[in-house]
Amino acid sequence: RDIGDAMSTLKADTIQSTSGGAATLTKQNGAKCFACADTAGVVFSPSLNIASSVDNGTGDYSHTFTNVFSTSVDEGQGIGVVASGGASGARLATSDTTSAVINIHTENFSDGSNADRKHHFIICGDLA
């Protein structure tokens, strides 16, 4: 028998769990939060799981999640952060990070001083 004979097409507009809720994906871990923010910390659309953002000062930003993570973001979450604009970088401010908020600092590579920069981040992990 030709293996091509066993192929079929599944078409659906909505897939739900047997109880009618969201279907659980197994053996996968997708992004639970992503955003791109400007130099004032304002998040552009589209974003995922961001309720609000605050510019705390030069190169210091806080982003509050719509849905919190099961652990503090610096414990067991996959995080990617990058800043753009000149010779700059971004880092997670782990001492200020909770399951509800991510703090990001952007800086100049040349001297390590804080600098307002556009920044992007993606977080993978478990929501509470």
Coordinates of all heavy atoms in Angstrom, one line a residue, residues 34-44 53 61 63 82-84 104 106 117-121:
F34 N 5.4 38.6 24.6 CA 6.3 39.2 23.7 C 5.9 40.7 23.5 O 4.7 41.0 23.6 CB 6.5 38.6 22.3 CG 5.2 38.6 21.5 CD1 4.9 39.6 20.7 CD2 4.4 37.4 21.4 CE1 3.8 39.6 19.9 CE2 3.3 37.4 20.6 CZ 3.0 38.5 19.9
A35 N 6.9 41.6 23.3 CA 6.6 43.0 23.1 C 7.8 43.7 22.5 O 8.9 43.2 22.6 CB 6.2 43.6 24.5
C36 N 7.5 44.8 21.9 CA 8.5 45.7 21.4 C 8.1 47.1 22.0 O 6.9 47.5 21.8 CB 8.5 45.7 19.9 SG 9.7 46.9 19.2
A37 N 9.0 47.7 22.7 CA 8.7 49.0 23.3 C 9.6 50.1 22.7 O 10.8 49.9 22.4 CB 8.9 48.9 24.8
D38 N 9.1 51.3 22.7 CA 10.0 52.5 22.2 C 10.8 53.0 23.4 O 10.9 52.4 24.5 CB 9.1 53.5 21.6 CG 8.2 54.3 22.6 OD1 8.3 54.1 23.8 OD2 7.3 55.0 22.1
T39 N 11.5 54.1 23.1 CA 12.4 54.7 24.1 C 11.8 55.2 25.3 O 12.4 55.4 26.3 CB 13.3 55.8 23.5 OG1 12.4 56.8 22.9 CG2 14.2 55.2 22.3
A40 N 10.4 55.4 25.3 CA 9.7 55.9 26.4 C 9.0 54.7 27.1 O 8.2 54.9 28.0 CB 8.6 56.9 26.0
G41 N 9.2 53.4 26.7 CA 8.6 52.3 27.3 C 7.3 51.9 26.8 O 6.6 51.0 27.3
V42 N 6.8 52.7 25.8 CA 5.4 52.4 25.2 C 5.5 51.2 24.3 O 6.3 51.1 23.4 CB 4.9 53.7 24.4 CG1 3.6 53.4 23.8 CG2 4.8 54.9 25.3
V43 N 4.6 50.2 24.6 CA 4.6 49.0 23.9 C 3.8 49.1 22.6 O 2.7 49.6 22.6 CB 4.1 47.8 24.7 CG1 3.8 46.6 23.9 CG2 5.0 47.6 25.9
F44 N 4.4 48.7 21.5 CA 3.7 48.7 20.2 C 2.8 47.5 20.1 O 3.0 46.5 20.7 CB 4.7 48.6 19.0 CG 5.7 49.7 19.0 CD1 7.1 49.5 19.3 CD2 5.4 51.0 18.7 CE1 8.0 50.5 19.2 CE2 6.3 52.0 18.6 CZ 7.6 51.8 18.9
S53 N 2.9 49.4 31.0 CA 4.4 49.6 30.9 C 4.7 50.9 31.6 O 3.9 51.9 31.5 CB 4.9 49.6 29.5 OG 4.7 48.3 28.9
Y61 N 12.9 50.3 32.5 CA 11.6 50.0 32.1 C 10.9 48.9 32.9 O 11.6 47.9 33.2 CB 11.5 49.7 30.6 CG 12.2 50.7 29.7 CD1 13.5 50.4 29.3 CD2 11.5 51.8 29.3 CE1 14.1 51.3 28.5 CE2 12.2 52.7 28.5 CZ 13.5 52.5 28.1 OH 14.1 53.4 27.3
H63 N 7.5 46.3 32.8 CA 6.3 45.9 32.0 C 5.5 44.9 32.9 O 6.1 43.9 33.4 CB 6.8 45.2 30.7 CG 7.6 46.1 29.9 ND1 7.1 47.1 29.1 CD2 8.9 46.1 29.6 CE1 8.0 47.8 28.5 NE2 9.2 47.2 28.8
V82 N 16.6 42.3 23.7 CA 17.5 43.0 22.8 C 17.1 44.4 22.8 O 16.0 44.8 22.9 CB 17.6 42.3 21.4 CG1 16.3 42.5 20.7 CG2 18.7 42.9 20.6
A83 N 18.1 45.3 22.6 CA 17.9 46.7 22.5 C 18.5 47.2 21.1 O 19.4 46.6 20.7 CB 18.5 47.5 23.6
S84 N 17.9 48.2 20.6 CA 18.4 48.7 19.3 C 18.5 50.3 19.4 O 17.9 50.9 20.2 CB 17.4 48.4 18.1 OG 16.2 48.9 18.4
I104 N 13.5 45.8 32.7 CA 14.5 45.8 31.7 C 15.3 47.0 31.8 O 14.8 48.1 31.9 CB 13.9 45.6 30.3 CG1 13.2 44.2 30.2 CG2 15.0 45.7 29.2 CD1 12.5 44.0 28.9
T106 N 18.3 49.2 29.7 CA 19.0 49.4 28.4 C 20.2 50.3 28.6 O 20.1 51.2 29.4 CB 18.1 49.9 27.3 OG1 17.5 51.1 27.7 CG2 17.0 48.9 26.9
R117 N 16.5 53.2 25.1 CA 16.6 52.5 23.8 C 15.3 51.7 23.6 O 14.6 51.3 24.5 CB 17.7 51.5 23.9 CG 19.1 52.0 24.1 CD 19.5 52.7 22.8 NE 20.9 53.1 22.8 CZ 21.4 54.3 22.8 NH1 20.5 55.3 22.6 NH2 22.6 54.6 22.8
K118 N 15.0 51.6 22.3 CA 13.9 50.7 21.9 C 14.3 49.3 22.3 O 15.5 48.9 22.2 CB 13.7 50.8 20.4 CG 12.6 50.0 19.8 CD 12.5 50.2 18.3 CE 11.5 49.4 17.6 NZ 11.4 49.7 16.2
H119 N 13.4 48.5 22.8 CA 13.8 47.2 23.3 C 12.6 46.2 23.0 O 11.5 46.5 22.9 CB 14.1 47.1 24.8 CG 13.1 47.7 25.7 ND1 12.8 49.1 25.8 CD2 12.2 47.1 26.5 CE1 11.8 49.2 26.7 NE2 11.4 48.1 27.1
H120 N 13.0 44.9 22.8 CA 12.2 43.8 22.4 C 12.4 42.7 23.4 O 13.5 42.5 23.8 CB 12.5 43.3 21.0 CG 12.8 44.4 20.0 ND1 11.9 44.9 19.2 CD2 14.0 45.0 19.7 CE1 12.5 45.8 18.4 NE2 13.8 45.9 18.7
F121 N 11.4 41.9 23.7 CA 11.6 40.8 24.6 C 10.5 39.7 24.3 O 9.4 40.0 23.9 CB 11.6 41.1 26.1 CG 10.4 41.9 26.6 CD1 9.4 41.2 27.2 CD2 10.3 43.2 26.5 CE1 8.3 41.8 27.6 CE2 9.2 43.9 27.0 CZ 8.2 43.2 27.5

